[in-house]
Amino acid sequence: MKDARRRMTQTVLATVGSAEKTEDPNYDAHVAKFDVMIADMNECGAALHSYLTKQKALFADGEELSKSLARVFDENLRMTDWPDVDCELKQCHAAEQYKIRMDLIQNVLRSSASTVTSEHALDPLKAAISTVTPEIHALKAERAIKVTDYDSYRRRLAEKEAKKQSLEAAGKGDTPAAADVQADIEKFQKKVQSGLEEYTYVNQKTKADVVAAKRQHDELMDQLIITTIVCQAELFTQAAAQLDAIIDTLPEDRVREVRRHMHEYVKQGGVRPAPAPEKSKLAIGLDLFTGKSVPSDLKKKDDDHHSSPSAAASGSALPRTQSATAGSSAPPAPPVAVAVPAPASTSGTTSKTSSFQAAKANPFASGDPFEGGEEANEEEEGGNPFAGETTAAAAVAPPAAPVAPPAPPAAATASAESNMVEALFDHEAEEEDELNFSAGDFVEVIDKPDGGWWRGRFNGKEGLFPSNYVKS
């Protein structure tokens, strides 16, 4: 109890600048780097775990598709009660083989790749975080105690030496009081020396252990990327071989046609989301009238158009939501042609404040994200080992938001029938009268005017949101 009071007093005095505080900038740098390193390990581990989890679900969907196709082909082949027509399906064998090989891909190839990734990458990473984080935190706590003790002994020694000088200046250097002070000085000199030795030891040990953790981090991260790349390459290579065996039995002309279309999209850089239509003059005028836009907004857009290289080259401005390259000859693809990966969010990739990026002493989270299945030895069966939610980009980009109409009249809003819809994609408001929500949130619909923008309520706020971002 006495030590606790002494340390608290020293901490308070050091905080207000009334006492000296021992500093080691090298130690501070080591500890700061360690915290960032652990956050990075958590981030990579959580991202890999999320990837394997979603890959399992994706391949499971593929397996279900193959079973459905095989069932439909088989039932149609056996069906004899169609009036005036015989079954003309020619790919019954391919459908059956697709089912067999998708089962093998999901339950043999994918599970093997996932298990190896866990054993050689995720499990060692989890073990390292679980071990080294509490060890370093314990050393940091011990070091804080030792440095406080050392500083408090130095402060008390200085006080005794000042008191001795005061007694000597007053001609009381030979008094019993002076002798007591001298005894205290000798006692605190020993404590200062002992405190310095203890502080120095734990200070150096903490830095040395952080350096050792950095070396372990480098080895683990090298192993993680090697294992991930090799396992994914083996999975897709062997899965492709299984599907190629079926392709060899399909009509060559139809195979060539499908491949040709695929190669055309690949050559043009994939499929882009469809651009939002340009606002009509009437819509622009209504925006100005209702206050959704101001003249300076239109001037800025016009300036942006004239300064855009692509606009200068083509002579017309690109719609705000269109992503295109200047001089590109590829036409915009329809929105339903191919699922497009969502662009990574700037805030989600650069900030170190996301939940799985924060350094955690224990990387394990309770619960099992997998329902059913018999793969007891797979890495996923332990649940997500990294605390927090993932920030991986959504598998499919949200559709382009429709052009926002003016706010509906109050009477229409009041009379609208309220219901709940579920958000399919994240929506970030670009105007003050729009709603912010994330995929999976439920939004109350207040009004459904024409134009593709509905009015709703979420988290106590009313505003507009694109109707194609939600489902009933």
Side-chain angles (χ1 to χ4, degrees):
M1 193 68 178
K2 182 179 178 181
D3 287 341
R5 287 200 301 269
R6 173 175 52 78
R7 289 165 184 156
M8 183 178 297
T9 300
Q10 178 62 31
T11 300
V12 172
L13 292 174
T15 301
V16 299
S18 298
E20 292 185 4
K21 182 179 180 180
T22 300
E23 301 283 357
D24 181 0
N26 188 253
Y27 168 86
D28 295 337
H30 275 67
V31 170
K33 292 293 185 183
F34 174 80
D35 291 340
V36 173
M37 180 182 73
I38 293 298
D40 289 343
M41 293 169 75
N42 270 314
E43 176 184 344
C44 293
L48 178 55
H49 182 274
S50 175
Y51 174 70
L52 294 176
T53 302
K54 292 174 182 177
Q55 188 175 74
K56 179 178 181 178
L58 175 65
F59 277 74
D61 286 345
E63 185 182 12
E64 288 302 313
L65 169 63
S66 69
K67 290 178 180 178
S68 297
L69 289 170
R71 178 188 59 78
V72 170
F73 272 79
D74 181 67
E75 290 178 356
N76 275 270
L77 186 64
R78 298 173 184 275
M79 196 175 296
T80 58
D81 56 351
W82 269 88
D84 304 324
V85 64
D86 295 328
C87 179
E88 297 180 358
L89 291 172
K90 300 180 177 61
Q91 302 303 326
C92 295
H93 177 72
E96 180 62 24
Q97 284 296 307
Y98 185 49
K99 183 187 75 169
I100 293 172
R101 293 176 186 274
M102 282 303 296
D103 177 80
L104 183 145
I105 291 171
Q106 160 71 336
N107 298 305
V108 178
L109 300 182
R110 186 210 56 80
S111 64
S112 298
S114 180
T115 300
V116 172
T117 303
S118 175
E119 293 175 349
H120 292 265
L122 274 181
D123 288 349
L125 193 68
K126 289 184 288 185
I129 295 174
S130 298
T131 301
V132 73
T133 303
E135 289 178 349
I136 296 299
H137 286 175
L139 282 172
K140 287 167 60 179
E142 183 182 0
R143 191 256 187 195
I145 291 174
K146 298 302 182 183
V147 73
T148 302
D149 286 346
Y150 172 56
D151 287 342
S152 69
Y153 296 150
R154 289 195 301 130
R155 175 178 57 82
R156 295 293 301 280
L157 176 59
E159 291 172 354
K160 297 298 180 182
E161 290 176 338
K163 187 172 183 180
K164 178 184 177 181
Q165 291 176 0
S166 177
L167 289 171
E168 290 176 346
K172 299 179 181 180
D174 295 330
T175 62
D180 291 341
V181 171
Q182 180 59 38
D184 288 341
I185 289 175
E186 293 174 359
K187 178 181 70 173
F188 280 107
Q189 285 176 337
K190 293 179 181 179
K191 287 191 173 185
V192 167
Q193 181 60 34
S194 175
L196 176 60
E197 292 173 357
E198 292 178 1
Y199 156 70
T200 302
Y201 170 78
V202 71
N203 191 62
Q204 294 297 332
K205 178 171 174 53
T206 304
K207 292 190 289 186
D209 284 5
V210 168
V211 170
K214 174 61 169 67
R215 293 195 177 101
Q216 185 182 20
H217 159 274
D218 293 351
E219 176 62 29
L220 288 170
M221 296 306 294
D222 280 347
Q223 183 63 26
L224 185 144
I225 192 169
I226 291 171
T227 303
T228 300
I229 292 173
V230 172
C231 285
Q232 291 300 298
E234 281 297 307
L235 169 59
F236 290 120
T237 298
Q238 295 193 37
Q242 293 294 324
L243 298 179
D244 282 341
I246 307 176
I247 291 175
D248 291 341
T249 68
L250 302 179
E252 293 184 3
D253 57 334
R254 301 180 73 168
V255 171
R256 282 196 302 270
E257 181 67 10
V258 173
R259 281 178 166 163
R260 182 180 66 80
H261 285 293
M262 176 73 176
H263 293 164
E264 286 176 355
Y265 279 116
V266 172
K267 286 180 181 178
Q268 74 178 31
V271 181
R272 305 278 181 173
E278 287 280 8
K279 283 190 177 183
S280 66
K281 292 182 178 179
L282 176 60
I284 294 173
L286 287 173
D287 282 352
L288 293 172
F289 178 75
T290 58
K292 191 172 181 65
S293 298
V294 295
S296 59
D297 293 337
L298 301 180
K299 183 178 185 303
K300 181 178 184 302
K301 291 179 181 179
D302 188 58
D303 292 342
D304 292 343
H305 160 64
H306 288 299
S307 63
S308 168
S310 56
S314 62
S316 61
L318 290 173
R320 178 170 57 87
T321 57
Q322 182 177 359
S323 175
T325 305
S328 172
S329 61
V336 297
V338 174
V340 183
S345 168
T346 302
S347 62
T349 55
T350 60
S351 173
K352 287 293 179 184
T353 60
S354 62
S355 51
F356 70 66
Q357 289 172 319
K360 301 290 184 182
N362 184 358
F364 298 93
S366 60
D368 185 351
F370 298 90
E371 298 179 2
E374 300 177 356
E375 301 163 18
N377 293 326
E378 286 194 56
E379 58 85 19
E380 303 103 332
E381 295 301 333
N384 187 340
F386 298 91
E389 61 189 24
T390 65
T391 57
V396 179
V403 177
T413 302
S415 62
E417 179 182 358
S418 297
N419 57 3
M420 302 299 292
V421 292
E422 182 180 0
L424 296 173
F425 310 99
D426 296 344
H427 180 251
E428 184 175 351
E430 295 184 359
E431 304 290 346
E432 291 185 359
D433 61 349
E434 295 178 12
L435 289 179
N436 277 310
F437 52 75
S438 302
D441 289 338
F442 286 88
V443 181
E444 180 184 1
V445 179
I446 298 175
D447 191 21
K448 299 180 179 180
D450 295 335
W453 285 77
W454 292 352
R455 177 167 289 275
R457 183 183 295 108
F458 179 68
N459 277 349
K461 178 182 177 181
E462 290 188 14
L464 299 173
F465 64 92
S467 58
N468 56 350
Y469 273 48
V470 299
K471 68 176 181 179
S472 299

